[in-house]
Amino acid sequence: MLDTRELGRRPGSERRVPLTAPAPADLGIEVLHVPEGSPIEFDIRLEAVVEGVLVTGTAQAELVGECVRCLEQIHSEITADFQELFVYDDGDRDAEDEETSRLEGDLLDLEPLLRDAVVLTLPFQPVCQEDCPGLCAECGARLADDPGHQHDEAIDPRWAALQQLGQQDPEQDPDQDPEQDPK
């Protein structure tokens, strides 16, 4: 909660607020998030307007997660820009006006605004590097660690008997059991 009492209800008055706050729980997406309790640096400008308080600013936070291609840990930072009008709560709420952000007395709640700004800024499919090759589909090896990674060509089990015929000695009679001595 951020106190706007100092602005009063005088349109045109403004105040800059540098702020550090702990990150709320579940801020992010499944594979990339801001760790709960980690510091978020805010640079906020509060501006009084006729309808309420216009909040503009940026939030910087640390991100942790996994690459969706190779599951490598990702550590980076995010800067999310936000702007929202918080209207004065004068008690005359319309049913269709539920999505409007409102001041609670002289206080405004930044968490929903922060949540929207951060989640919309996150990449949908985070990767450790732009050209991440991912994992081997057969064995799960990380291809960035072994770029020449290969497997022998897979043999269809239906043709395995033919492969055994190709490995026999060409001078041996195919109808004779190789275990028996012809003498």
Side-chain angles (χ1 to χ4, degrees), residues 1-125:
M1 292 287 198
L2 196 56
D3 192 358
T4 63
R5 197 173 338 182
E6 193 175 293
L7 289 175
R9 289 194 176 198
R10 297 180 312 269
S13 61
E14 74 174 54
R15 185 175 122 211
R16 284 196 119 23
V17 180
L19 174 70
T20 301
D26 301 323
L27 181 58
I29 57 177
E30 189 173 319
V31 292
L32 193 64
H33 66 279
V34 176
E36 182 177 357
S38 67
I40 299 177
E41 301 289 329
F42 290 96
D43 182 22
I44 302 170
R45 188 179 93 204
L46 302 173
E47 183 178 355
V49 294
V50 174
E51 300 88 10
V53 177
L54 180 65
V55 179
T56 307
T58 59
Q60 291 182 322
E62 172 193 354
L63 289 174
V64 296
E66 292 180 337
C67 174
V68 296
R69 293 184 190 159
C70 70
L71 304 178
E72 188 72 15
Q73 284 289 95
I74 296 175
H75 295 279
S76 66
E77 288 193 1
I78 188 172
T79 300
D81 297 322
F82 54 86
Q83 183 173 35
E84 183 82 24
L85 176 63
F86 287 81
V87 297
Y88 296 121
D89 189 9
D90 294 330
D92 57 337
R93 292 186 184 189
D94 294 335
E96 58 194 46
D97 208 19
E98 290 296 318
E99 293 186 21
T100 302
S101 299
R102 296 193 175 275
L103 288 166
E104 297 172 18
D106 289 324
L107 302 175
L108 60 89
D109 186 7
L110 283 177
E111 186 175 335
L113 177 61
L114 172 68
R115 216 170 266 291
D116 290 346
V118 168
V119 171
L120 291 174
T121 305
L122 293 176
F124 182 64
Q125 302 266 318

Side-chain angles (χ1 to χ4, degrees), residues 161-174:
L162 289 177
Q163 182 184 19
Q164 290 174 357
L165 285 175
Q167 293 174 352
Q168 285 183 350
D169 187 5
E171 295 186 15
Q172 184 178 349
D173 182 10

Side-chain angles (χ1 to χ4, degrees), residues 131-152:
D131 60 346
C132 177
L135 300 175
C136 173
E138 289 186 43
C139 68
R142 186 169 182 258
L143 297 176
D145 295 338
D146 187 9
H149 182 78
Q150 292 182 352
H151 291 276
D152 292 335

